[in-house]
């Protein structure tokens, strides 16, 4: 029999002691097999009764009989939480003949939970069986403690509607992957990546533009003092601010109607950066001055071949 | 005649042997050892709920996907597959990038000539270079759109706050990867775009000059910058982004799978 953790033993002893109105230390000693089990009048036991206990108990049976006590302290009650069938060690069989009854009910034994009357009759003709309202086969059970349902495991997640990843998700992913590959292949066949003259430190092209994803910044730099546009806007708002969004927006709802402000602010950000980027890419000519792409042409080399398909 | 027969006989024999061997490999110990139970490539695979679970569970895919996912998360209209496509573009960029590395030396003398040769002399060189360049632009776009999709779904709310932070780092790394690659063709476009870009970094007060110096390895773009950015581009940044990608995907699962439904 496995060792029972001390705190489990103690907890069940406390519960039992509380139920029986006895000192904890005494119950603990009993559980460890260091003391004989106290006999308790049935009526005084106000632990929740297992369903098979007849209610009301037959008046002729005043007491719950003493249970067979294993002499070996190591074979203390098993570490079960509720009622546990306890098979006594072979050594106990002699002093406690009652324990010799096989655990499954004998043919004439009542099925648990039914027929209290029949039960009483059975008990009366078989004196070796303790006479309590406890049917055969369950005599060796005893209540260690009662644990409220859900006390140990809490189910937090509600069941959700789920489907198998294979094939449902994998097929969607695979399709997207193929579509993307096909798209990129076609794009790369049609459009030649730009390659201008070799790098020349002495010839600054006019205009000089950053890659498109930085052109919104470059656009802002042309409006504001670099110290402001170069620092506050991109790094503080852009990086730190973005990382902190989940900690700033404490609104737990994900329903669009509950987060009008958040959605509005983000949409302004998106529209703003798109506008600035498009301005920087298409509407800036020599000297980074304003230019109309349809009049002055496109001053953005990555786009050159997109606009006139001639290649270079 | 007899020679022909002999050759035919030999060929037939060889073919039987070959099919035999393939057959044995397919159903034999080698295949058994390679394919774990429930693999759809295994002989006699049947489409049962149990095997559907095994396809994921007994597979390296289990590192990415759980056996079951929320039904609404599978709908294309929820994620628009943008995160997945960003990742797939990253893989495509790795593959095409390795191809480019075979033909490119990051020195001021060779870089430009090598890229030119890629576009003209080398089989599939032009295609690979174009795919790498357009794929990189596309990845910046998909990552940005993925971020927007996550925002509009409120998918950064508890318990997913930290994965948003990881995401912002991924966005920065994606931009840095793209920007470091921009210099490598060593043409006028590359040189001056990088000059403009790093000048903007120089505007950061207090540490701006130092940041710019560290980025360029000097006060302006030089051949040393080319080597520095090459190493960042092909080694350091990919290494870092893979680590953050692993954390990102792991957190998607640990935070209870895809968010929603709304
Ligand atoms: C290299 C860039 C990135 C890759 C490859 C990537 C990949 C992914 C993937 C595959 C998913 C699963 C769901 C989906 O496909 O939408 C996901 C979810 C998520 N990503 Fe990303 N991501 C990247 C960048 C970002 C960025 C920039 C952000 C935000 C700033 C972000 C925040 C999130 C969040 C919060 C989730 C959970 C969404 C949910 O549960 O609905 N990711 N990411």
């Amino acid at each position: 029999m496995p060792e029972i953790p001390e705190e489990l033993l103690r907890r069940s002893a406390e519960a039992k002691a509380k139920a029986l109105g006895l000192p904890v230390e005494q119950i603990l000693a009993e559980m460890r097999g260091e003391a004989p089990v106290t006999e308790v009048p049935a009526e005084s036991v106000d632990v929740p009764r297992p369903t098979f206990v007849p209610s009301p108990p037959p008046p002729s049976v005043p007491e719950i009989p003493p249970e067979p006590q294993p002499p070996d302290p190591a074979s203390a009650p098993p570490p079960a939480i509720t009622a546990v069938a306890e098979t006594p060690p072979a050594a106990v069989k002699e002093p406690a003949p009652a324990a010799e009854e096989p655990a499954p009910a004998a043919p004439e034994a009542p099925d648990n939970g039914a027929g209290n009357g029949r039960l009483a009759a059975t008990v009366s003709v078989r004196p070796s069986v303790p006479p309590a309202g406890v049917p055969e086969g369950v005599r060796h059970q005893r209540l260690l403690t009662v644990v409220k349902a859900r006390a140990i495991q809490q189910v937090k997640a509600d069941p959700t509607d789920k489907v198998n990843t294979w094939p449902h998700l994998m097929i969607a992913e695979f399709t997207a992957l193929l579509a993307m590959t096909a798209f990129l292949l076609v794009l790369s066949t049609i459009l030649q990546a730009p390659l201008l003259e070799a790098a020349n430190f002495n010839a600054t092209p006019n205009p000089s533009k950053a890659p498109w994803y930085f052109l919104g910044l470059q656009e802002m730099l042309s409006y504001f003092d670099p110290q402001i546009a170069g620092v506050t806007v991109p790094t503080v708002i852009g990086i730190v601010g973005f990382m902190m969004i989940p900690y700033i927006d404490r609104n737990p709802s994900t329903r669009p109607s509950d987060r009008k402000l958040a959605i509005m602010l983000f949409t302004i950000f998106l529209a703003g950066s798109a506008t600035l980027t498009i301005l920087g890419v298409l509407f800036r000519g020599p000297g980074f001055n304003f230019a109309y792409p349809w009049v002055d042409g496109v001053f953005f080399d990555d786009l050159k071949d997109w606009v006139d398909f001639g290649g270079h | 005649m007899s020679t022909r027969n002999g050759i035919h006989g030999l060929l037939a024999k060889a073919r039987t042997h070959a099919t035999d061997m393939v057959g044995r490999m397919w159903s034999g110990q080698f295949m058994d050892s390679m394919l774990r139970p429930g693999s759809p490539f295994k002989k006699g695979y049947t489409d049962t709920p149990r095997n559907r679970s095994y396809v994921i569970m007994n597979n390296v895919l289990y590192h990415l996907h759980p056996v079951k996912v929320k039904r609404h998360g599978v709908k294309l209209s929820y994620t628009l597959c943008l995160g997945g496509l960003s990742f797939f573009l990253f893989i495509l960029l790795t593959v095409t990038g390795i191809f480019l590395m075979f033909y490119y030396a990051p020195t001021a003398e060779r870089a430009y000539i090598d890229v030119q040769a890629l576009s003209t002399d080398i089989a599939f060189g032009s295609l690979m270079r174009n795919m790498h360049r357009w794929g990189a632009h596309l990845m910046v776009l998909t990552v940005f759109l993925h971020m927007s999709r996550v925002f509009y779904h409120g998918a950064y709310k508890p318990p997913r706050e930290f994965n948003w932070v990881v995401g912002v780092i991924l966005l920065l790394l994606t931009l840095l990867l793209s920007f470091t690659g921009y210099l490598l063709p060593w043409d006028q476009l590359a040189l001056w775009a990088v000059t403009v870009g790093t000048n903007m970094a120089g505007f950061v007060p207090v540490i701006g000059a130092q940041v710019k110096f560290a980025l360029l390895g000097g006060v302006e773009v030089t051949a040393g910058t080319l080597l520095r950015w090459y190493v960042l581009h092909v080694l350091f940044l990919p290494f870092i982004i893979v680590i953050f990608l692993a954390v990102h995907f792991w957190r998607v699962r640990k935070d209870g799978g895809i968010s929603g439904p709304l």
Side-chain angles (χ1 to χ4, degrees), chain B residues 164-186:
Chain B
W164 172 273
V165 178
V166 174
V168 176
I169 293 170
L170 283 173
L171 176 67
L172 288 177
L173 287 169
T174 308
L175 289 175
L176 277 175
L177 269 165
S178 185
F179 192 43
T180 48
Y182 217 82
L183 181 66
L184 302 186
W186 205 239

Side-chain angles (χ1 to χ4, degrees), chain B residues 1-17:
Chain B
M1 205 58 204
S2 66
T3 339
R4 270 181 59 108
N5 262 347
I7 288 172
H8 274 283
L10 225 68
L11 280 180
K13 221 171 172 177
R15 206 168 54 217
T16 332
H17 272 296

Side-chain angles (χ1 to χ4, degrees), chain B residues 71-141:
Chain B
R71 187 185 294 279
H72 81 94
V74 170
K75 286 204 202 104
L76 205 62
S77 55
Y78 191 72
T79 66
L80 303 170
C81 233
L82 285 167
L85 283 179
S86 307
F87 181 50
F88 180 58
L89 280 169
F90 176 74
I91 293 172
L92 270 182
L93 288 166
T94 309
V95 173
T96 52
I98 289 172
F99 180 96
L100 297 180
M101 282 177 75
F102 289 136
Y103 302 99
Y104 176 87
T107 62
E109 296 77 38
R110 279 199 50 196
Y112 179 74
I113 302 169
D114 285 350
V115 175
Q116 224 171 16
L118 266 168
S119 315
T120 53
D121 299 351
I122 291 155
F124 296 110
S126 177
L127 181 70
M128 288 293 153
R129 176 168 177 241
N130 291 349
M131 281 180 77
H132 198 73
R133 191 173 187 103
W134 301 135
H137 286 322
L138 215 54
M139 182 174 166
V140 174
L141 202 67

Side-chain angles (χ1 to χ4, degrees), chain B residues 79 83-84 143 146-147 149-150 155 160 167-168 245 248-249 258-259:
Chain B
T79 66
V143 170
H146 166 62
M147 180 182 78
R149 165 331 254 174
V150 167
R160 298 183 176 79
V168 176
L245 283 175
H248 195 59
F249 299 156
I258 210 77
S259 64

